[in-house]
Amino acid sequence: MIQEIYPHKLKIEYMPLTARPEDSAVCYKDGKISAVTGGEISLCKVRDFHNREFIYLFKIDGISVFGVLGCDELPDGAEFISPRQAMNSAPSHIGYALLCAFHLLKWYDETKYCPKCGKKLCHSNHERAMVCGECGMVKYPTINPCVIVGVLSGDKILLTKYAGRDYSHYRLVAGFCEFGETIEECCHREVFEETGLRIKNLKYYKCQPWAMSQSLLFGFYAELDGSERITLDTHELAVGEWKSVYEIKTPDPSNTLTQEMMCRAKDNLYK
């Protein structure tokens, strides 16, 4: 998956560093992220920007990466690309760095004012947080827990497609965890709400950070409990159907948790 970048290393811990000309720099604007796109995708440099404010994001292979705040113009050779473009066309470690930058810079862009008193927030000097100097409110980056469930019945797996979205490929049942709910309870609820099916014997598979929705995805396989009859929530889904795990054709290795779980379903059948 996209976050599996070994032997490259991402060091995400916050450090109160000052940007240097040779450091890398990334901008966020209107749901897109900046990259140098001539040939193999790469990151801009701090020296490419003038009279800008920078915020430290992380290190990739020992190179410091900074976010450019209030960015509306890019240097020559760079353009704004979608996170999916970054994920699918960049070298894997650069693509993942761009996705992590997207997650953080989107949060910074959306977290400018205190939700309690309305005053403008300031960057903390000792941790990755936004702080209100008026009332003391502290805001940390958003991470939304979410589940993906591969529902298995014999040698079949439940596949779905979104309703009313551009993404038209098959996927697994997925959804966000609600307040007061465990990840396991979320799996049962989402499967039932979207398809009317009951499940049992949850088996944890793997997790994946997912920058596009600022989420942490938890992947589970589950065994069908009862009838295979699907009652589709047509507000959420356009398609819900059973497919043999031996018919599924997805990239392997895959960038996404959903693709990998679909591809590896045959290895996780309930005996």
Side-chain angles (χ1 to χ4, degrees), residues 14 16 53-57 67-70 104-105 107-112 120-133 137-139 141:
Y14 175 77
E53 183 183 359
F54 298 92
I55 184 74
Y56 176 77
L57 301 180
V68 188
L69 302 178
L104 287 172
L105 291 174
W107 175 74
Y108 280 126
D109 185 63
E110 295 172 347
T111 313
K112 295 178 179 177
K120 193 166 184 178
L121 296 172
C122 300
H123 295 276
S124 170
N125 292 323
H126 65 276
E127 62 180 341
R128 183 170 286 117
M130 298 295 286
V131 180
C132 179
M137 171 71 74
V138 180
K139 298 291 290 181

Side-chain angles (χ1 to χ4, degrees), residues 1-5 10 12 26 28 31-35 41 43 57-58 65 81-107 208-215 255-256:
M1 294 188 291
I2 188 65
Q3 76 273 15
E4 294 167 345
I5 61 173
L10 180 77
I12 199 70
V26 184
Y28 169 88
K32 293 188 175 183
I33 202 78
S34 68
I41 287 179
L43 305 181
L57 301 180
F58 49 79
V65 180
I81 62 175
S82 72
R84 284 196 180 274
Q85 284 177 279
M87 180 174 67
N88 294 325
S89 60
S92 61
H93 66 294
I94 298 298
Y96 189 52
L98 286 168
L99 291 180
C100 290
F102 176 91
H103 187 150
L104 287 172
L105 291 174
K106 183 176 188 290
W107 175 74
Q208 180 177 40
W210 192 245
M212 282 74 113
S213 57
Q214 298 178 311
S215 302
N255 276 337
T256 70

Side-chain angles (χ1 to χ4, degrees), residues 18 42 55 82 92 161 171 187 189 194 207 223 226 228:
T18 301
S42 59
I55 184 74
S82 72
S92 61
K161 291 185 179 182
R171 57 183 281 275
C187 292
R189 177 183 56 77
E194 293 192 0
C207 70
E223 185 180 4
E228 290 185 352

Side-chain angles (χ1 to χ4, degrees), residues 160-165 167-169 171-172 174 236-239:
T160 67
K161 291 185 179 182
Y162 287 120
R165 299 196 197 181
Y167 187 83
S168 60
H169 301 290
R171 57 183 281 275
L172 303 177
E236 291 285 336
L237 302 178
V239 174

